[in-house]
Amino acid sequence: MIKTDILIIGAGPTGLFAVFEAGLLKLKCHILDALPQAGGQLSELYPKKPIYDIPGFPEVLAGDLIDGLQEQIKQFEPGFTLGERAETIEKQEDGTFIVTSNKGTKFHAPVIAIAGGLGSFEPRKPLIEDIEFYEDKGVKYFIKNPEKFRDKRVVIAGGGDSALDWSIFLANVASEVTLIHRRNEFRGALDSVEKVQELKSAGKIKLITPAEVIGINGAEHVESLDIEENGAHRKIDCDYFIPLFGLTPKLGPIGDWGLEIEKNAIKVNNALDYQTNIPGIFAIGDVNTYPGKLKLILCGFHEATLMCQAAYQIINPGKKYVLKYTTVSGVDGFDGTRKEAPKAVVKAIV
């Protein structure tokens, strides 16, 4: 049994920042996430893409933002259970909760903060026979480490921003990049479409449209693909096949916890603290909904801050907390470290 003050379900940017705000209140956190690494969508879907609306950062790569958040919370020593999904919840007689993961790990906490983004993501897979056999054997639905494709022959299928952006990026990494789309038109940013056109003209990207992949060949790894182009069939050799047809978000087992759900999101009280219809359970970030909700990282940071204030009152009933600016109070880590502004020097001027 893992015991903590706040169990945070979701290791995305909102969940990570909640650890910092909780730490300022001397509250311990443990983070549970189904993905094998922290970062949520930012690490899983677009770690190399820039974000432009984080206060104080004119431009920051998604992966770098996650690295910074993890560095910021290190002093508060959060626990992490990654690669496990929150499955069931039981409310105890004293009002606390026990959450059990799909692997049987149990967590005991008086406060639950659901920061699961849009839920668990599942890739939209093309209807190709035996595609599951080739998953992790050359078929990839996400690009986490572009260097994996260094000097390899890569085929990307799709017609949106993700397919365009990764085709552009891998053009300078892979030995050969082929982009396949079932239409001639692409639904993506104009500059990305134009860049792909430039790379095609320069011979750095092969473009096959209108066409689609209908089969995969290879004994133990992807060796070639069968494609249909203008009614004709042909085969192209490759090392990796990356179908990028988008993701389907699902709330998962949390949807069966008795929470009030609206359009695959958890309804919360935004007038006060982002608490759900079950006292002690909060939802912050993209996973929640309320009038005027904006699915932005910076909004998730704000929601995490107010949630922690309410959590403090649940964990310390009747105890008053006086808000102090970190420039005044400093930051005391659970690891014994302290960060504070230089003390003012009192000295007379004569």
Side-chain angles (χ1 to χ4, degrees):
M1 184 84 70
I2 296 173
K3 295 186 177 183
T4 189
D5 292 322
I6 304 176
L7 174 64
I8 300 173
I9 300 173
T14 296
L16 293 175
F17 187 68
V19 174
F20 178 79
E21 289 297 319
L24 294 179
L25 301 171
K26 310 300 182 188
L27 302 178
K28 290 282 290 184
C29 294
H30 193 93
I31 297 180
L32 169 65
D33 198 292
L35 294 175
Q37 72 285 319
Q41 297 179 59
L42 277 69
S43 295
E44 189 73 11
L45 302 182
Y46 51 96
K48 300 297 183 182
K49 295 191 77 171
I51 303 173
Y52 300 104
D53 62 351
I54 302 300
F57 291 91
E59 177 181 335
V60 59
L61 294 181
D64 290 344
L65 176 60
I66 293 302
D67 290 343
L69 286 165
Q70 292 194 88
E71 181 64 28
Q72 186 179 29
I73 66 174
K74 187 186 296 182
Q75 61 190 320
F76 294 124
E77 301 180 323
F80 284 90
T81 299
L82 302 174
E84 298 187 29
R85 182 183 65 242
E87 198 79 16
T88 62
I89 189 169
E90 301 171 68
K91 190 164 188 177
Q92 307 302 295
E93 290 185 5
D94 61 357
T96 61
F97 302 93
I98 292 180
V99 172
T100 304
S101 79
N102 62 317
K103 294 186 179 179
T105 307
K106 292 184 180 294
F107 309 86
H108 186 200
V111 172
I112 307 294
I114 303 171
L118 296 174
S120 57
F121 284 91
E122 296 181 6
R124 292 191 178 98
K125 302 178 182 181
L127 298 176
I128 300 174
E129 188 177 355
D130 295 330
I131 192 169
E132 286 82 7
F133 172 79
Y134 291 102
E135 291 171 0
D136 293 325
K137 299 175 183 177
V139 170
K140 299 289 183 182
Y141 301 110
F142 306 105
I143 298 176
K144 300 176 185 177
N145 179 16
E147 282 300 313
K148 188 180 185 70
F149 308 101
R150 174 72 62 184
D151 300 326
K152 302 295 183 181
R153 298 166 300 176
V154 176
V155 173
I156 294 175
D161 283 315
S162 187
L164 292 166
D165 291 347
W166 281 116
S167 295
I168 294 167
F169 189 92
L170 292 179
N172 294 315
V173 176
S175 62
E176 182 179 288
V177 174
T178 303
L179 176 59
I180 297 176
H181 184 39
R182 63 180 180 272
R183 299 187 183 91
N184 291 319
E185 300 80 20
F186 288 84
R187 299 173 67 99
L190 180 59
D191 60 338
S192 295
V193 176
E194 292 176 344
K195 183 64 175 177
V196 167
Q197 180 64 58
E198 292 175 12
L199 290 168
K200 174 182 178 290
S201 299
K204 299 200 72 175
I205 288 179
K206 294 181 180 180
L207 188 62
I208 304 177
T209 61
E212 61 181 315
V213 178
I214 59 173
I216 306 174
N217 309 298
E220 295 297 328
H221 196 276
V222 173
E223 296 176 4
S224 65
L225 302 175
D226 296 322
I227 67 169
E228 183 178 321
E229 181 183 8
N230 292 319
H233 291 190
R234 67 185 178 100
K235 183 178 292 187
I236 58 174
D237 295 330
C238 69
D239 301 302
Y240 287 95
F241 174 44
I242 309 172
L244 298 174
F245 298 137
L247 300 166
T248 302
K250 294 184 178 180
L251 201 53
I254 290 175
D256 300 323
W257 285 8
L259 300 166
E260 193 173 352
I261 308 294
E262 182 180 285
K263 295 181 179 178
N264 206 45
I266 302 170
K267 292 186 70 174
V268 296
N269 173 11
N270 68 304
L272 188 61
D273 52 18
Y274 305 98
Q275 197 158 190
T276 68
N277 59 304
I278 301 178
I281 300 181
F282 300 78
I284 53 177
D286 287 357
V287 76
N288 74 15
T289 186
Y290 53 83
K293 169 69 178 181
L294 293 176
K295 293 184 183 294
L296 296 173
I297 294 173
L298 59 93
C299 294
F301 290 166
H302 165 77
E303 294 165 11
T305 303
L306 296 189
M307 178 278 294
C308 287
Q309 295 289 323
Y312 180 86
Q313 295 302 323
I314 292 173
I315 297 168
N316 301 289
K319 189 175 180 181
K320 189 175 181 181
Y321 172 75
V322 179
L323 176 67
K324 294 181 180 179
Y325 302 117
T326 54
T327 51
V328 175
S329 65
V331 178
D332 291 306
F334 297 157
D335 57 359
T337 61
R338 176 168 174 77
K339 296 178 181 178
E340 62 180 334
K343 299 291 185 183
V345 177
V346 179
K347 186 177 182 180
I349 299 178
V350 293

